[in-house]
């Protein structure tokens, strides 16, 4: 009685275990064209933690004559209900012979025991070939040469790099030239007074200051003689400001009216006596000397002298260098710009020749 009970327990345990394991195989397509692929998914349901071994096929191994394995996928695991686990593996198949194939069951071992899936069928379809018109079919092509060789494009490539480099340098120099403010030299045309006009203006100032009747005769004669000296220096072109009165008279003797020179000599002598010998003159004598100075200026003045002069400011050494640098920089920018444009035009022509 005890043996019968043990047997029944083992039988129930075996049946429960068997009921917990199932193996199923599904194919994604029942028909394929020669060379196409079909995927078979093998699913095993077993208790969690079970040792499950799927069949292993090598690449191009025949699963059945005419059907080969292209790829064997990894084993994927997912949880099921009530302590069950689902194990899956995919197999990619193909065939190059058109017919209906019988795929044998896939055997899966679970805890050392083998379970098999149902068998599958795979139909491989041939491609219809019109053998009556064989002229439509052509043999394999020969190996074609590359239409573009490096030797044809190397010059264009390197010139493109050179053009980009030149364009970059040109733009950089342009920015430097733009940021550095240019030195603008303003040339002024100044309308100047003629020597006799300046002298007469000074004499009018002496009159306005009433130096003729002033007690300070030294100031009067100093300003009067300085006015004459400046006039003579600008009119005749020698340094009258640095010469004595007698030296001035000697220089003027050769070309001037003797009477005017005598009057000028008297004026200078009187001025020297007042400035250096503290000589005192009379008012009428001061008036006479002023009149003599005006007559000398009127007799010797030149009306056709240039009245306008061009004044160009003098630049410092750094400013001169800056002007030269800007000129050189402009020349370099123009040169690089023209060279870049020439390379660009040559590049366009070369590309046209290569593509045409």
């Amino acid at each position: 009685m005890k043996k019968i009970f043990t047997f029944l327990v083992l039988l129930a345990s075996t049946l429960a275990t068997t009921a917990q394991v199932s193996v199923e195989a599904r194919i994604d397509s029942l028909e394929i064209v020669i060379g196409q692929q079909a995927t078979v998914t093998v699913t095993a349901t077993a208790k969690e933690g079970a040792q499950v071994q799927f069949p292993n096929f090598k690449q191009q191994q025949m699963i059945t004559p005419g059907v080969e394995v292209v790829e064997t996928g990894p084993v994927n695991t997912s949880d099921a209900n009530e302590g069950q686990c689902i194990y899956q593996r995919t197999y990619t198949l193909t065939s190059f012979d058109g017919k209906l194939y019988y795929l044998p069951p896939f055997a899966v071992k679970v805890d050392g025991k083998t379970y098999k899936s149902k068998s599958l069928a795979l139909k491989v379809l041939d491609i219809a070939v019109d053998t009556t018109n064989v002229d439509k079919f052509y043999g394999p092509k020969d190996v074609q040469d590359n239409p573009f060789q490096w030797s044809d494009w190397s010059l264009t490539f390197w010139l493109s790099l050179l053009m980009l480099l030149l364009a970059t340098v040109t733009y950089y120099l342009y920015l430097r030239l733009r940021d550095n403010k240019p030195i603008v030299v303003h040339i002024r045309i100044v309308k100047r007074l003629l020597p006799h006009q300046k002298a007469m203006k000074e004499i009018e100032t002496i009159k306005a200051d009433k130096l003729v009747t002033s007690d300070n005769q030294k100031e009067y004669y100093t300003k009067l003689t300085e006015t004459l000296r400046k006039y003579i220096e600008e009119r005749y072109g020698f340094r009258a400001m640095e010469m004595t009165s007698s030296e001035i008279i000697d220089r003027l003797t050769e070309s001037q009216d003797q009477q005017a020179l005598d009057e000028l000599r008297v004026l200078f002598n009187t001025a020297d006596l007042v400035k250096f010998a503290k000589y005192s003159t009379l008012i009428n004598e001061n008036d006479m000397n002023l009149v003599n100075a005006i007559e000398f200026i009127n007799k010797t003045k030149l009306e056709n002298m240039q009245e306008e002069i061009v004044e160009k400011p003098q630049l410092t050494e750094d400013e001169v260098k800056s002007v030269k640098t800007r000129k050189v920089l402009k020349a370099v920018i123009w040169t690089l710009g023209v060279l870049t444009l020439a390379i660009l035009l040559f590049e366009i022509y070369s590309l046209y020749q290569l593509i045409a």
Side-chain angles (χ1 to χ4, degrees), residues 101-333:
Y101 292 96
Y102 165 77
L103 302 181
F106 289 83
V108 180
K109 287 186 178 182
V110 179
D111 292 332
K113 188 175 181 179
T114 302
Y115 299 88
K116 293 183 178 180
S117 68
K118 294 181 180 180
S119 60
L120 299 173
L122 177 64
K123 186 175 183 180
V124 180
L125 303 176
D126 289 324
I127 298 176
V129 179
D130 186 4
T131 57
T132 60
N133 296 311
V134 295
D135 295 338
K136 293 182 178 180
F137 302 95
Y138 300 94
K141 298 287 185 180
D142 294 334
V143 178
Q144 299 293 318
D145 293 332
N146 190 339
F148 302 112
Q149 298 181 1
W150 171 247
S151 59
D152 298 333
W153 290 83
S154 59
L155 179 60
T156 304
F157 174 76
W158 292 115
L159 284 178
S160 298
L161 292 182
L162 178 60
M163 181 182 65
L164 291 176
L165 178 61
L166 291 176
T168 303
V169 173
T170 303
Y171 184 68
Y172 171 76
L173 293 178
Y174 167 74
L175 292 179
R176 291 293 303 272
L177 183 65
R178 185 190 65 181
D179 295 338
N180 184 16
K181 294 183 179 179
I183 298 175
V184 180
V185 179
H186 297 284
I187 300 176
R188 296 189 306 167
I189 299 178
V190 181
K191 188 172 183 179
R192 67 170 185 175
L193 295 176
L194 297 177
H196 68 276
Q197 293 173 336
K198 291 181 182 180
M200 293 303 296
K201 188 175 182 180
E202 290 292 334
I203 289 175
E204 292 298 327
T205 302
I206 293 173
K207 288 181 179 180
D209 294 339
K210 299 181 180 181
L211 295 178
V212 179
T213 59
S214 173
D215 294 336
N216 192 352
Q217 296 181 352
K218 182 177 180 180
E219 181 183 4
Y220 165 68
Y221 279 100
T222 299
K223 289 189 175 182
L224 183 60
T225 53
E226 284 183 357
T227 300
L228 289 172
R229 287 174 182 272
K230 290 179 182 179
Y231 167 74
I232 293 170
E233 185 169 307
E234 292 184 11
R235 166 64 176 82
Y236 294 99
F238 60 86
R239 296 182 178 180
M241 297 295 294
E242 301 175 3
M243 301 171 66
T244 64
S245 301
S246 58
E247 290 175 341
I248 294 174
I249 297 299
D250 292 339
R251 288 290 301 269
L252 295 175
T253 301
E254 300 176 0
S255 57
Q256 295 301 319
D257 178 53
Q258 189 61 41
Q259 181 180 356
L261 288 179
D262 290 339
E263 294 173 352
L264 186 63
R265 184 181 294 108
V266 172
L267 190 154
F268 277 127
N269 290 335
T270 303
D272 290 340
L273 291 174
V274 171
K275 290 187 292 184
F276 304 112
K278 297 182 180 181
Y279 175 75
S280 297
T281 60
L282 300 175
I283 294 178
N284 59 349
E285 190 175 1
N286 294 339
D287 292 334
M288 181 188 66
N289 287 327
L290 184 62
V291 172
N292 290 338
I294 294 173
E295 290 182 357
F296 174 78
I297 293 171
N298 289 329
K299 288 181 180 180
T300 58
K301 66 181 180 180
L302 293 178
E303 297 287 354
N304 58 350
M305 292 182 66
Q306 184 180 1
E307 296 185 4
E308 292 183 351
I309 58 173
V310 178
E311 286 189 356
K312 185 176 181 181
Q314 296 295 324
L315 300 178
T316 63
E317 185 177 353
D318 292 338
E319 290 175 339
V320 172
K321 290 182 180 179
S322 179
V323 171
K324 291 182 179 179
T325 302
R326 289 182 63 83
K327 289 182 180 179
V328 173
L329 201 57
K330 287 181 180 179
V332 172
I333 290 174

